[in-house]
Amino acid sequence: MSETQFLFAPPPRPSVAIDGEIERFPVRRIFCVGLNYAAHAREMGKDPGAEPPFFFSKPADAVVVSGTVIPYAPMTRNFHHEIELVAALGSGGANILRTRALEHVYGYAAGIDLTRRDLQKQARDEGKPWDLAKGFDQSAPIGAIHPAARIGHPNSGRIALSVNGALRQNGDLADMILDVAGVIAELSRYVALAAGDLIFTGTPEGVGPLVPGDRVEGDIAGVGEVSLGIAH
Ligand code: MN
């Protein structure tokens, strides 16, 4: 059997560290949930009762190893942090039952959904897609994945983010509108999920701008940490 011949060497597979393991988690796709915490929906000028959570995506190669210093993103003057619980899938499928959904989660990590807020608002106001407000280079910093076999499936606990030591976001996983099982069940109605998919499950209130030189630290109780620097 001959191997596939490529015109040029395929790019390296994006991956995420797994706590306590030598193997890395190979990333297939990155999905994200919008407006999954009521208080954050309200700070975005939305009525959480009228606008249920929805989905968008980022390219797989947007992942950034925790601890990296990245440049301030181009084409924005309002570069925001959003701390999020990330579910890493070890298997998948379409139309997954909510009651079976957690069986597909390999583990969890803390991630940051970096956002060009000005581009997002402009696209929203103009009725245009906001892909490039969310899915851009280095827009998905993520800490090590902690296997569910060790930490279980967290559904409550503090989710917090600080910038230069000052607390900016301080929420609780229990306030998610769709919990992880609900997210997987609903998302799998739209796409067939698969091993390697990462799902950023939404951010609590307190999102805000980053500036060059900032040091960002996120922490989810019982799950893990993520850190990030913004270059001067
Ligand atoms: Mn988000």
Side-chain angles (χ1 to χ4, degrees):
M1 203 170 78
S2 64
E3 276 189 41
T4 304
Q5 301 285 305
F6 291 108
L7 180 62
F8 52 86
R13 166 72 59 179
S15 65
V16 178
I18 302 171
D19 182 61
E21 305 290 340
I22 293 165
E23 294 88 357
R24 294 179 65 83
F25 182 91
V27 178
R28 181 171 185 261
R29 297 177 296 186
I30 302 175
F31 295 102
C32 306
V33 186
L35 304 184
N36 202 21
Y37 291 74
H40 170 62
R42 284 191 286 272
E43 77 178 349
M44 293 296 291
K46 296 293 185 180
D47 173 3
E51 186 161 343
F54 58 92
F55 304 102
F56 58 93
S57 60
K58 293 176 185 268
D61 66 1
V63 294
V64 175
V65 173
S66 182
T68 301
V69 176
I70 66 168
Y72 189 91
M75 300 300 286
T76 184
R77 302 186 68 146
N78 199 15
F79 186 33
H80 272 211
H81 57 77
E82 299 187 353
I83 181 72
E84 311 204 357
L85 174 69
V86 180
L89 301 192
S91 59
N95 301 308
I96 295 169
L97 291 176
R98 195 184 173 292
T99 51
R100 307 295 301 269
L102 295 183
E103 297 171 18
H104 298 287
V105 180
Y106 168 77
Y108 296 91
I112 304 174
D113 169 15
L114 291 172
T115 301
R116 294 192 278 212
R117 193 71 72 201
D118 43 358
L119 297 193
Q120 182 192 32
K121 284 184 172 151
Q122 182 186 354
R124 193 175 85 179
D125 292 346
E126 295 175 0
K128 292 174 179 170
W130 38 269
D131 300 49
L132 292 183
K134 287 289 195 177
F136 52 95
D137 298 338
Q138 298 184 292
S139 59
I142 182 168
I145 294 168
H146 293 251
R150 288 208 293 269
I151 66 163
H153 295 277
N155 53 24
S156 66
R158 185 171 184 257
I159 173 169
L161 179 140
S162 63
V163 179
N164 306 323
L167 192 62
R168 292 268 193 94
Q169 295 189 261
N170 187 19
D172 196 295
L173 298 178
D175 291 331
M176 290 169 64
I177 294 168
L178 284 177
D179 62 10
V180 173
V183 165
I184 290 169
E186 184 66 12
L187 180 56
S188 73
R189 298 173 66 201
Y190 293 87
V191 291
L193 295 171
D197 288 343
L198 298 177
I199 307 175
F200 282 63
T201 60
T203 196
E205 67 188 298
V207 302
L210 297 168
V211 298
D214 274 350
R215 183 77 203 164
V216 184
E217 290 175 318
D219 176 57
I220 303 176
V223 174
E225 295 96 39
V226 58
S227 67
L228 179 73
I230 308 298
H232 284 282

